[in-house]
Amino acid sequence: MRKLFIGTCLIFSMLLTGCFGGMEVNDRAFVQLMGLERRDSIYEVTLQIYKSESGTADPDVSKANSFTVSGKGATVQSALADAEITVGKQLFLGHIKLLIIGSGIKSPADELSLFLDGSVSPSCPIAYSEDPAAAAGVLFEDGSFSAEQLLRLMDTNAAEGKTIYTSLADVASDTGVLDCACALPDIRSQGDTVIFDGLTFIRKDGAAGSLAKEDVPGVKLLQNKFKSGDKITVPIIVGDKQATVSVTGAKTGLKTKIEDGKLHVYADVKTRINITENPYEIDRSLIEHSLCEALRDTCISAFSTAVWYNSGDIFGIKIHVRRDCPGQYTEYCSNEEKYLKESIITVKISVKD
């Protein structure tokens, strides 16, 4: 008991001295957001760093509490070291809320793997931008952290089916070990804020096509990324009458089959809905039928853009083939691009009571 008491006292004494892994908190620069690009063989990082305008640990939320700094180098590590010299403090990456990469990142699994050493959370979201420096350099005029406000904006867009989440671990795994593809939110700066503008496909050799924001709900459904609290609003037209439906829940099952040399993908999407506007009192069955057609078209459009036109397996098709067609998996991997481009998708949408 005495040993436990002494140990507890030692822990509290360390906390009270402000020590953080042998270094004072004031000697660290807490990175909130990072933009990463590579041009002409030189990496450039743009960092949002927290700095309390109140001068205390409690931020003054009436002011911007972040500043930006950049660094360049032949490697990602040297670019970070360059930024560190400018700041004059050791960079701490454990608080990064969002990582934004650009078209110059040609080997995502390799170039991002250095962050998987525990310095950055594997669940950290990743986005894509044609100008990561500009997107990462946007500072909101007030609020505790610009990066947190951006993440809240991303939360809202994801809940409404306008974007999706893809983590650092997803990118490293999908473009590396699995040798597939992943989809990243496409963001760009617009004045003093950023907007989400569709998705960009990323493969082991970098960016490989994009998807319009109108078809993002199709990706969200086919990837089975619908979460509690999400709500996708779908306008419905029956004849010359209109209604509005909110999809409040969805569960998707994917299956694959290889038959006669063709890859067949079957998607079974079960939805829960709420009819939010029906001024013309359209029969519910007609609304449900129209909704199912609209969602099916969105899913097929998303699949065709990603898989047929860009050979981007962002739906985990290879994993499903390995599970559903183990005897044909080796053949599939040997001719994956051909199978993807000639694949046939069948989408079934239903509404649960």
Side-chain angles (χ1 to χ4, degrees):
M1 188 71 180
R2 177 179 175 78
K3 291 181 179 179
L4 176 62
F5 175 77
I6 293 174
T8 303
C9 289
L10 286 172
I11 293 172
F12 273 105
S13 66
M14 290 175 66
L15 292 174
L16 290 172
T17 59
C19 238
F20 191 95
M23 178 173 291
E24 294 290 335
V25 170
N26 289 337
D27 293 331
R28 291 195 173 215
F30 292 86
V31 181
Q32 300 288 306
L33 186 149
M34 178 189 298
L36 177 63
E37 184 60 290
R38 185 172 186 258
R39 294 189 179 93
D40 299 324
S41 301
I42 298 297
Y43 288 96
E44 179 178 354
V45 296
T46 304
L47 310 176
Q48 278 191 20
I49 296 177
Y50 170 63
K51 179 183 179 181
S52 175
E53 289 298 326
S54 67
T56 69
D58 297 320
D60 179 356
V61 296
S62 68
K63 301 178 180 179
N65 282 272
S66 302
F67 67 96
T68 61
V69 65
S70 63
K72 294 182 179 181
T75 65
V76 178
Q77 294 96 325
S78 61
L80 288 169
D82 185 43
E84 194 170 78
I85 292 173
T86 302
V87 176
K89 296 181 179 182
Q90 181 175 335
L91 299 177
F92 180 69
L93 307 180
H95 288 176
I96 289 181
K97 305 294 190 301
L98 179 65
L99 178 61
I100 305 172
I101 65 174
S103 59
I105 304 304
K106 299 298 186 182
S107 303
D110 295 331
E111 293 166 291
L112 300 176
S113 62
L114 67 96
F115 297 120
L116 291 173
D117 62 355
S119 58
V120 177
S121 170
S123 62
C124 175
I126 294 188
Y128 174 87
S129 177
E130 287 295 327
D131 191 347
V138 172
L139 297 176
F140 292 88
E141 293 183 357
D142 54 33
S144 56
F145 306 112
S146 283
E148 285 190 353
Q149 292 186 67
L150 177 55
L151 204 60
R152 284 196 290 271
L153 180 62
M154 188 173 177
D155 285 338
T156 301
N157 278 269
E160 295 174 354
K162 297 176 181 177
T163 192
I164 61 171
Y165 271 98
T166 304
S167 71
L168 171 61
D170 290 334
V171 174
S173 174
D174 292 349
T175 65
V177 177
L178 294 178
D179 192 14
C180 293
C182 59
L184 301 184
D186 200 335
I187 68 174
R188 58 186 173 88
S189 60
Q190 187 176 58
D192 57 356
T193 188
V194 297
I195 62 173
F196 291 85
D197 193 20
L199 304 176
T200 290
F201 309 131
I202 302 292
R203 297 194 299 195
K204 65 180 180 181
D205 54 354
S210 60
L211 183 80
K213 58 185 176 182
E214 292 79 10
D215 290 328
V216 174
V219 173
K220 185 180 181 75
L221 292 173
L222 290 178
Q223 288 190 340
N224 198 27
K225 285 193 173 183
F226 211 101
K227 297 181 179 179
S228 175
D230 289 355
K231 183 173 68 174
I232 298 178
T233 301
V234 182
I236 298 298
I237 298 177
V238 179
D240 59 350
K241 300 176 181 179
Q242 298 181 348
T244 303
V245 176
S246 292
V247 180
T248 57
K251 185 71 174 177
T252 302
L254 280 183
K255 291 184 178 180
T256 59
K257 181 173 68 172
I258 295 179
E259 188 174 61
D260 297 328
K262 298 288 187 181
L263 170 67
H264 297 260
V265 179
Y266 302 92
D268 185 7
V269 185
K270 295 180 172 62
T271 66
R272 291 194 305 273
I273 69 169
N274 180 29
I275 300 176
T276 54
E277 294 180 1
N278 188 14
Y280 300 101
E281 298 183 351
I282 305 170
D283 185 83
R284 182 181 176 89
S285 63
L286 295 177
I287 291 178
E288 290 185 1
H289 177 74
S290 181
L291 171 73
C292 290
E293 285 190 333
L295 293 181
R296 185 179 65 245
D297 290 346
T298 298
C299 288
I300 292 176
S301 182
F303 187 92
S304 65
T305 301
V307 178
W308 293 341
Y309 300 128
N310 291 287
S311 299
D313 180 7
I314 66 172
F315 304 113
I317 295 172
K318 178 182 285 188
I319 298 173
H320 289 286
V321 170
R322 184 171 58 189
R323 182 196 65 190
D324 301 333
C325 318
Q328 297 158 298
Y329 180 67
T330 301
E331 164 64 20
Y332 173 81
C333 291
S334 300
N335 299 278
E336 184 175 6
E337 186 167 339
K338 177 178 182 295
Y339 275 110
L340 290 176
K341 288 185 177 296
E342 298 177 0
S343 59
I344 300 168
I345 185 169
T346 301
V347 180
K348 177 185 176 183
I349 310 288
S350 59
V351 178
K352 297 190 291 186
D353 294 333

